[in-house]
Amino acid sequence: MMRPVLAFALMLALCLPAPSAQANINASSPEITQLLLDKSERTLYLLNGRTAVRKYRVDLGTNPEGHKRFRGDGRTPEGLYYITHRNPNSNFFLSLGISYPNAADRAHARRQGRDPGGDIFIHGRGARVQNPPPDWTRGCAAVTDSEMAEIFDLVRPGTPIFIKP
C-alpha cells in the first residue's frame, strides 16, 4: 500500500521545477517580522523578532537630519510605519512602499498649511542612478539593486518598519 504513495510522491517531485535562487533565499532565511532603519548609522536591519537576519548600508534623503514634515524637504521620516506594497515596476529597480504620511504627519502638515508629501520607499538605484553621492534620495532609503532584489524577496506588505533618528 505504501509503495504506490511513495512512487507518486517521487514522480511529483521529479515533475516540479527546480527551486530558483530567490526561493533559496526564502528557504534559508527566517521570516522577516520587522525592519529597523537607523538613520544615524545609515543602516537597514531586517529582523526576525529582535534578531538581525540581514543588514544593509543605505542612502537617505538629501537633508537627512530630522523627521520628514513636508513635500520637498529632502528628509527621511522617523517613527513607526509599515511596508504598504511591493512595486516591481519602480523607476529605481524595485521598491517597497512605506506608510508615510500617517495621520499625525498629515495633521501636522495641515496645521502648517503645507503638504506632507508622500511616495517614500525603500528602493534600489535603477539604470539611471550609477555611483550616486551619499544621501541622494528625496526622502527614501536606497540600497544597491542586488541588495534590493534580496530585500524585495524577503519583506512582505504589512511588515512594521521603525525609522530611528
Side-chain angles (χ1 to χ4, degrees):
M1 183 72 172
M2 287 300 285
R3 282 186 179 210
V5 171
L6 289 175
F8 179 74
L10 179 60
M11 185 176 69
L12 182 63
L14 292 173
C15 293
L16 293 174
S20 69
Q22 285 184 334
N24 289 336
I25 289 172
N26 274 336
S28 66
S29 296
E31 177 187 4
I32 303 305
T33 59
Q34 57 190 327
L35 307 176
L36 171 63
L37 174 55
D38 188 324
K39 288 173 54 174
S40 65
E41 291 182 6
R42 303 296 192 279
T43 304
L44 173 66
Y45 297 92
L46 277 56
L47 305 168
N48 174 271
R50 293 179 176 235
T51 303
V53 175
R54 300 272 197 285
K55 91 179 194 181
Y56 308 90
R57 188 200 166 286
V58 297
D59 286 316
L60 301 172
T62 56
N63 184 15
E65 299 299 318
H67 176 57
K68 180 165 192 62
R69 295 292 184 190
F70 311 112
R71 178 175 302 284
D73 65 10
R75 292 183 174 164
T76 302
E78 297 172 355
L80 178 62
Y81 295 92
Y82 296 87
I83 300 301
T84 58
H85 64 286
R86 300 169 61 181
N87 180 5
N89 300 312
S90 171
N91 289 331
F92 299 100
F93 183 59
L94 299 169
S95 62
L96 297 173
I98 296 176
S99 62
Y100 176 88
N102 61 26
D105 297 320
R106 286 190 297 277
H108 176 267
R110 190 172 33 254
R111 285 191 302 274
Q112 304 298 314
R114 306 275 305 269
D115 180 343
D119 290 334
I120 302 297
F121 291 86
I122 300 168
H123 61 70
R125 293 179 181 166
R128 298 183 308 187
V129 181
Q130 299 303 311
N131 302 311
D135 297 333
W136 58 275
T137 77
R138 294 182 180 162
C140 298
V143 296
T144 67
D145 289 352
S146 61
E147 291 168 333
M148 191 61 225
E150 184 173 90
I151 295 165
F152 192 85
D153 189 52
L154 293 171
V155 177
R156 300 288 171 244
T159 304
I161 177 170
F162 183 73
I163 306 172
K164 178 182 166 195

